[in-house]
Amino acid sequence: MEGLQSEVLELEFHKFSRGLESIQEEDFARILLRYTYLTKDEHEHYLERLRTRIRDVKGITFKDFKEFFIFLNNLDEFALALRIYTYADLPISEADFNRAVKACTGQLLDRHLIHVVFQLFDRDGDGKLSQQEFFSVMKDRLHRGAKALSGGQWENYKNCVKNEMK
């Protein structure tokens, strides 16, 4: 399963990198927001927020991209680690975020990548993560839109796949 996930991530990355070593921060945001339940206006609001806040454009490498999505596979553990901050009524800084990631995955994420994520999900520009917004959008992303299928739609989809595999 890990190999398949890695291949899917690589395909997604290369679609936006156009043969380059990195993707632009806005493209990374587009990938993050893909498969979410955001309206078109909400989606554009996130991207505009990022455009106005990111001054140091240096791109996101595939290595950093892949590590972030490995981290997303541990989102439930990460949420548990951040509950400590929530109970203490403490805002989450970029450094706190990275410490919690390391506690869950054993590795630190690239500081620039974390900065991009914060600029995307920091509602009021105070440098602190809006946890509720971040977790709801990232959980949508993990489901890749499959959660939106009702029982009947899911059965229709499975039947269609079975028919195509015959």
Side-chain angles (χ1 to χ4, degrees):
M1 185 68 165
E2 188 176 312
L4 177 61
Q5 183 181 24
S6 201
E7 286 181 37
V8 170
L9 287 174
E10 195 169 351
L11 287 170
E12 200 165 24
F13 181 85
H14 288 300
K15 177 181 178 186
F16 286 90
S17 72
R18 299 169 195 89
L20 300 174
E21 295 289 319
S22 63
I23 58 175
Q24 294 178 358
E25 288 79 358
E26 187 173 334
D27 288 334
F28 176 72
R30 287 180 197 284
I31 293 169
L32 277 183
L33 299 175
R34 186 185 271 181
Y35 307 114
T36 62
Y37 299 116
L38 298 173
T39 66
K40 188 175 181 178
D41 288 342
E42 290 170 328
H43 192 269
E44 187 55 39
H45 178 74
Y46 277 94
L47 294 176
E48 185 59 33
R49 182 188 301 163
L50 184 68
R51 281 185 213 114
T52 59
R53 293 181 180 175
I54 293 291
R55 304 272 188 257
D56 182 23
V57 177
K58 63 183 233 182
I60 308 292
T61 65
F62 179 68
K63 175 187 171 288
D64 295 334
F65 178 83
K66 185 177 177 184
E67 286 174 356
F68 183 81
F69 284 97
I70 288 170
F71 148 69
L72 282 185
N73 288 336
N74 295 291
L75 197 59
D76 289 333
E77 292 89 356
F78 180 73
L80 187 61
L82 288 186
R83 276 201 197 131
I84 297 165
Y85 289 92
T86 304
Y87 291 142
D89 200 27
L90 296 171
I92 305 301
S93 70
E94 292 180 22
D96 296 330
F97 183 94
N98 214 4
R99 275 193 294 279
V101 168
K102 184 168 180 160
C104 297
T105 66
Q107 62 186 6
L108 293 171
L109 294 176
D110 178 73
R111 289 176 57 202
H112 178 68
L113 183 138
I114 291 174
H115 182 68
V116 170
V117 169
F118 266 65
Q119 298 315 303
L120 191 62
F121 291 103
D122 177 5
R123 286 184 187 162
D124 58 6
D126 67 352
K128 307 299 180 195
L129 183 71
S130 171
Q131 289 183 59
Q132 182 181 13
E133 191 173 16
F134 173 77
F135 284 116
S136 65
V137 172
M138 290 302 95
K139 284 186 184 229
D140 285 353
R141 163 72 188 170
L142 283 174
H143 289 110
R144 291 185 160 264
K147 197 166 74 171
L149 296 176
S150 67
Q153 291 172 318
W154 179 245
E155 288 302 316
N156 290 340
Y157 173 75
K158 287 192 314 189
N159 289 335
C160 180
V161 170
K162 284 179 189 175
N163 288 334
E164 288 299 317
M165 294 179 77
K166 288 181 181 177

